[in-house]
Amino acid sequence: MYIVSGEEMRQVDRFAIEQIGLGGFTLMENAGSSCSRAIERQLKKNNRIAVVSGGGNNGGDGFVIARYLAEAGFDATLEVIAPRMKIHGEAYEHLLVYERAGRAARFYETDSEAVEQAIAGADVIIDAMLGTGVTGELKPPYKEIAALINRSRALVFAVDLPSGVPSAEAADIQAGVRADRTYMLAARKMNASLPGYRSFYGTIVPVDIGIPELAYVSAKADRRIWLDEQKALRHLPHRDPDAHKGQSGRAAIIGGSMNMSGAVMMAAEACVRAGAGRTTAVIPDDTLSAAAPQLKEAMYLPLPSESGEFARSAWGKVPEAVHADGVAVGPGLGRNVTNDIFPLINQLDIPIVIDADALLDLASDLEQLKIISRTSPVILTPHPGEMAVLTGLSIEEVQAGRFSLSAKFAKTYGVYLVLKGRETIITGPDGRQWVNSTGNAGLAKGGTGDVLTGMILAFLLQYEDPAEAVFMAVYLHGLTADYLAERADQISINASDISHELGTVICQLKQKCNEAGRTIDIRD
Ligand SMILES: NC(=O)C1=CN([C@@H]2O[C@H](COP(=O)(O)OP(=O)(O)OC[C@H]3O[C@@H](n4cnc5c(N)ncnc54)[C@H](OP(=O)(O)O)[C@@H]3O)[C@@H](O)[C@H]2O)[C@@H](O)CC1
Ligand SMILES: [K+]
């Protein structure tokens, strides 16, 4: 599914209407009929339903929904908050269709008390007041009606967006409807993936309204999310039956310090479990006895240490000492001795994943990234705090601009950026973005990032396309956490459990998709 801003959605709509010839009236009919069918599955026959409509096209969707629900025999009334005079275009045509079908809408302008009573007394409220067209703070009486909806005990289903929630990134939100479910039309709106707005949406139900792919291509809205597991099947790691260990790649993971020998070893174990042919842990020599017993499958390359961390002089030795097809640097490095990771980026033209403390070293001289000439990809995996250091912004600013900041950063420095969070955003150096839908709050725990780093490195060695490798690592990391959370509470998820169960999850995924008859949607 595509992810769009409100402005991009308008461009997509315009293209579908003007260039493809799908009329706005038809799209609204599609939106309303598809939504009402999806909504009906949540309704009980005796529910009192209030469809609350505005005067724009979101309201128009509401007129169609009210007609379908009434025709299906539900006790559904249409409460229109906008004055009749302000309703135009396709929305007005659909209001007329509703009325000509023998139904009567109630208008807040002329019957405010009855409208408020209908809303207060409803079991289910369908919020079709405002969608992508909202600007600024909610105006009266929408603000008061939104508050009334939020106070009610009814189930609240929003159409496209909860009214009042802006669709543009980093727009302020003062008040808005808090929905239990949001029936999102055609494409996912950007803000549904941003922390400040996500809670307004409730469960998001995608609703197809028949807009052709070409309309998205024309709007250059190149951001996607996978909402079903079947999409993953085509992209799962695959092993040739005749494979030998040399073909799955040699991985080197550089990290660890006296107090954090576990981090580098968790990354190394994840790398082994995710299929790397040979994995070497490059560690400070005085941590060898602590690190080595943690993983039998790894090889070890100890380098000079100082105060329990890599000595500054060790960094110059790394490019020659490491014989690998891909490298990750960062897990558990520590911050007492300054790390110098630029020789790695400069001299090793193999895929490199930069994580954790190494990101902070990178931040001290980011401009160097622009002048280094490499053909192999650089992958940065910051959490919002690390991204704040990389950009010089506050964490709040990072979170409010996750999409645009990621795109700008990845393009400026020519890197793949994995901005972690509830919905991790992966951005390619060309600005294309993928949003991950798997994972849960159990991942908010030390070590899970180290495991992800190891998985990304292993996949980089097995996939041709770095974007696919990075996305699949993030996707399966989250999916394994979801698998674990189905068996024990989220709070008990251990980072290493993700490595241990990864194979089971991939296996289950293959089985599930096979059982579903291999109906793979190729539009991903
Ligand atoms: N285009 C298509 O093909 C399709 C579009 N579709 C649907 O259209 C929706 C977008 O429709 P849209 O552009 O008409 O905007 P919409 O969200 O109804 O809001 C406009 C109204 O809001 C009002 N208003 C604004 N700000 C306000 C505030 N702060 N506080 C209070 N009021 C405020 C503004 O009033 P005004 O300020 O002009 O007085 C105006 O009346 C989209 O989300 C989807 O549901 C589907 O049918 C599929 C086909
Ligand atoms: K709405």
Side-chain angles (χ1 to χ4, degrees), residues 85-107:
M85 278 280 294
K86 290 199 79 173
I87 306 172
H88 303 287
E90 287 96 19
Y92 186 63
E93 287 174 48
H94 275 293
L95 176 61
L96 293 181
V97 169
Y98 178 82
E99 290 172 337
R100 288 193 209 112
R103 321 252 166 220
R106 196 165 18 216
F107 285 82

Side-chain angles (χ1 to χ4, degrees), residues 116-156:
E116 282 172 9
Q117 273 171 14
I119 295 172
D123 303 308
V124 177
I125 296 168
I126 296 177
D127 162 30
M129 289 196 290
L130 307 165
T132 53
V134 73
T135 48
E137 206 178 325
L138 274 183
K139 290 181 282 210
Y142 292 89
K143 190 173 178 182
E144 290 70 23
I145 301 288
L148 184 62
I149 292 174
N150 289 343
R151 279 199 306 273
S152 86
R153 289 162 169 249
L155 274 176
V156 178

Side-chain angles (χ1 to χ4, degrees), residues 58 127-130 159 161-163:
N58 193 253
D127 162 30
M129 289 196 290
L130 307 165
V159 178
L161 293 146
S163 294

Side-chain angles (χ1 to χ4, degrees), residues 234-442:
R234 272 192 334 129
H235 302 269
L236 287 176
H238 170 75
R239 186 146 290 197
D240 190 318
D242 296 323
H244 59 81
K245 66 183 176 190
Q247 284 169 324
S248 313
R250 296 166 302 171
I253 303 190
I254 306 168
S257 53
M258 198 55 104
N259 298 330
M260 289 187 286
S261 67
V264 66
M265 296 319 297
M266 279 189 281
E269 180 174 22
C271 190
V272 171
R273 294 271 186 184
R278 279 184 285 198
T279 301
T280 302
V282 183
I283 52 175
D285 54 13
D286 60 5
T287 67
L288 180 62
S289 58
Q294 297 181 40
L295 186 65
K296 291 197 290 287
E297 290 80 1
M299 291 178 293
Y300 293 87
L301 174 59
L303 291 179
S305 55
E306 181 189 322
S307 324
E309 299 184 5
F310 282 113
R312 174 97 182 157
S313 61
W315 290 101
K317 297 186 173 50
V318 175
E320 270 203 16
V322 164
H323 300 287
D325 304 307
V327 63
V329 57
L333 273 182
R335 308 249 3 109
N336 292 328
V337 181
T338 309
N339 306 302
D340 183 10
I341 60 165
F342 282 100
L344 283 177
I345 311 174
N346 246 329
Q347 293 167 43
L348 286 179
D349 197 358
I350 52 177
I352 177 166
V353 186
I354 304 176
D355 184 32
D357 288 337
L359 287 168
L360 307 182
D361 296 304
L362 186 73
S364 64
D365 202 2
L366 256 185
E367 291 302 303
Q368 271 215 52
L369 263 188
K370 287 191 197 160
I371 50 173
I372 287 170
S373 115
R374 294 171 52 89
T375 53
S376 303
V378 176
I379 296 96
L380 272 50
T381 58
H383 56 57
E386 289 157 347
M387 188 65 182
V389 176
L390 284 169
T391 53
L393 299 170
S394 67
I395 294 179
E396 291 71 31
E397 286 166 325
V398 167
Q399 292 294 64
R402 284 171 66 83
F403 284 102
S404 51
L405 265 180
S406 296
K408 188 173 168 210
F409 190 97
K411 285 199 268 189
T412 304
Y413 298 104
V415 298
Y416 290 85
L417 187 82
V418 179
L419 180 54
K420 296 181 214 172
R422 176 168 172 182
E423 293 195 354
T424 292
I425 301 175
I426 295 117
T427 309
D430 56 1
R432 282 187 301 158
Q433 295 187 309
W434 297 264
V435 175
N436 186 47
S437 58
T438 60
N440 58 70

